[in-house]
Structures are given as structure tokens and as C-alpha cells.
Amino acid sequence: MDWHRFLGFILMDILMGTPYTTEQEKDLSLKKQLLDLVIVRRGPGTVPFRLPDGLEDLANHNLITFKSYQETLDAWAMKELIGHYVNYRKQVSPSLKDLLPEEEFRLYAICARYPHNLAQQVPWEEVQQGVYRCRWGTDDIRVIVLRQVPLEEHNALWHLFSGVPERVAYGARHYQLRSPDTSALLHQLFAGYKREGLNMPLTMDDFRREYVKEHLHKLTPEERLEGLSAEEILRGLSAEEILKHLPREEIENFLKRQKDGSPPSAE
């Protein structure tokens, strides 16, 4: 299961329509070294909705290392992140003698599980529930622990990748799709969990049904009825309920035709 790739695609979706875009596996050197994710400001403006905890104050360049529920965030991962940051800053700056200010960069370590060993090895401070400030030399790294962030709608993205069945189900129920293609990604995400032996309390069929129910009010009457036969549309309605919505003249004409045995009017 390529967890990093899925997180990248979901981040692309959540940032759709904002000043930011997401680039995956940024190649930082001639000898291939891949940074998990970069969120880059692409224009002026602000994000018009609440971002997941820890991402509230994105910089122009946001470098991310990600550890799935099967991986451990450790000191080596942090060292790699710092190394990627050094290379990345050189590449995006006008020149090596004219580096972009450090304030334009922010470093993130996102992990599903709390990194107990790392937290004992370095200066460590809780900023808010599930979000920590790790001091690494002269750099601050923001650590986001997906299994600890609050169960709130704006954190749905984090819960999808927590690896905890109940949290994943919560994330699926509350994640707001911004692209129709993302539903297919969520389907693959669920399938990946299933292949890895995680039993989800919410199946993809459950998710589809709940998603349709939550967004049904946004469809026009024509869109709601699309694909349904006349029998399916009328199912569950009594004759009285159907007749009260028909013009009296149309009902009388129908009854007359039934009595006379004449075919329906071509009008």
C-alpha cells in the first residue's frame, strides 16, 4: 500500500481551489532522494475553510515527511527531513548566495502513531492536542500525530490515515470531497486497509450511501430521478398522494379513457 501517494492525492483534493498545490516525491538531487510531500503556495489569497490541525498557518514552502500506521517516526527520519530541506531551499532560491528567507519554509513530520522514543530524545512540546513542536538544532519541526488529533470534521483527512478503524470510518463520513475523482481514491484506501488486515466498521458501500444521503439536497429534482424507472419513482406513494399532484382535468380524462377503452391522447 503506497500510503504516501494516497496522502498526497488527498492533500491535492483538500487544497483544490486554494493558493496551494501539492507536489509528490520531489526529486532533490542527481542521486535520487525523494521528499514525501511538499505543499507550495501558488498564488495570493487565503484558504477559505478550516484546514486540519497543524496546517493552520502554512508557509510558502511546506516540507513533509510522513510515516503511516505501519512505520515509526524516529531520529533518522527527522535528519532526512532536515537534509531534504537544505537541498530544497537551494533549488527554489534565486541562487546559493541569495537563499530565500527561512521564514518561507516550514517542516512537518506527520505520523499515525505517537513517537515515544523520539519524544524522549529531543526537546518536545505539545502545542495542541495531537500537535507537537520538536526542536532540532536551530530548526522547529511540527509533529502531527494522527491518532491523537480531536475527532472533529476538519480533521477528517488525518483520521483517514490513522490506521484506527473507528477513526478511519469517522474520516470517511466527514471528509468533504472537492473533486469527484477522490471518491475512487477513498475506495482504494479502504481496499488497501482490507488487504493489510484492518477490519473497517464502515465499508465503501456504506460510505457511498452515506455520502449520497448527505449531499442529496444539492442535486436538482431531475438529477435525483436520473436513471430511475417510473415504477421506482412511484414506489412507496399511495394512489391518493399521486392523484393530489395531478390536474383535475387530467384525472377526469384518464378515467373517461379507461371507461371508453380509448387510447391516450397524442397531445
Side-chain angles (χ1 to χ4, degrees):
M1 181 71 180
D2 193 342
W3 294 102
H4 306 86
R5 184 167 170 265
F6 276 107
L7 178 59
F9 282 125
I10 301 292
L11 272 171
M12 288 178 188
D13 179 71
I14 201 172
L15 292 169
M16 185 171 291
T18 77
Y20 293 91
T21 187
T22 304
E23 300 174 21
Q24 297 197 56
E25 298 184 336
K26 183 76 174 179
D27 190 355
L28 299 180
S29 67
L30 293 177
K31 184 177 181 181
K32 204 168 188 178
Q33 298 181 43
L34 301 178
L35 173 62
D36 287 340
L37 299 162
V38 184
I39 298 176
V40 184
R41 175 177 282 279
R42 61 182 180 184
T46 59
V47 178
F49 52 85
R50 186 176 181 182
L51 286 170
D53 287 351
L55 298 183
E56 303 93 340
D57 52 345
L58 290 169
N60 288 343
H61 302 271
N62 306 272
L63 284 66
I64 301 172
T65 184
F66 171 59
K67 299 299 178 186
S68 73
Y69 76 101
Q70 294 182 327
E71 301 171 299
T72 301
L73 180 66
D74 55 18
W76 179 250
M78 303 297 256
K79 291 175 182 177
E80 283 190 320
L81 178 60
I82 295 293
H84 290 323
Y85 159 63
V86 171
N87 287 332
Y88 180 88
R89 188 182 176 198
K90 290 177 181 177
Q91 288 192 20
V92 299
S93 294
S95 71
L96 295 181
K97 295 182 178 180
D98 184 21
L99 296 175
L100 292 176
E102 291 192 26
E103 293 75 23
E104 293 196 23
F105 301 85
R106 187 155 291 126
L107 306 182
Y108 293 87
I110 300 173
C111 55
R113 298 183 285 117
Y114 183 77
H116 291 278
N117 292 340
L118 179 65
Q120 296 173 2
Q121 296 170 340
V122 293
W124 191 265
E125 174 190 354
E126 184 174 19
V127 177
Q128 63 191 87
Q129 184 178 338
V131 181
Y132 301 85
R133 176 176 177 258
C134 172
R135 190 71 178 170
W136 197 277
T138 59
D139 294 305
D140 280 338
I141 301 175
R142 186 170 301 178
V143 179
I144 303 172
V145 182
L146 307 187
R147 293 183 177 182
Q148 292 186 349
V149 295
L151 280 173
E152 297 178 2
E153 289 190 15
H154 69 282
N155 285 328
L157 165 68
W158 294 155
H159 299 308
L160 283 172
F161 289 88
S162 66
V164 178
E166 294 73 21
R167 285 180 174 263
V168 175
Y170 179 93
R173 288 190 181 101
H174 292 90
Y175 183 79
Q176 298 296 314
L177 296 174
R178 291 178 171 81
S179 165
D181 297 332
T182 307
S183 60
L185 290 173
L186 291 178
H187 184 278
Q188 294 178 53
L189 185 68
F190 271 61
Y193 274 127
K194 186 176 181 180
R195 285 197 302 272
E196 295 183 1
L198 242 63
N199 294 318
M200 294 290 113
L202 178 75
T203 66
M204 196 59 204
D205 288 337
D206 294 332
F207 166 74
R208 286 198 189 97
R209 281 193 294 271
E210 292 190 13
Y211 180 80
V212 169
K213 286 168 63 178
E214 287 181 13
H215 296 80
L216 193 62
H217 66 282
K218 298 180 180 178
L219 300 178
T220 64
E222 292 76 15
E223 289 172 330
R224 295 185 194 186
L225 298 176
E226 186 177 343
L228 296 179
S229 65
E231 181 181 340
E232 289 171 323
I233 294 172
L234 297 176
R235 188 181 298 158
L237 295 176
S238 67
E240 183 179 352
E241 289 175 316
I242 296 172
L243 289 173
K244 72 181 182 181
H245 292 288
L246 296 176
R248 181 184 181 90
E249 183 181 351
E250 188 173 332
I251 296 173
E252 290 175 346
N253 289 337
F254 174 78
L255 293 174
K256 184 176 182 299
R257 288 195 302 271
Q258 291 294 105
K259 184 178 179 180
D260 298 341
S262 57
S265 172
E267 293 180 4

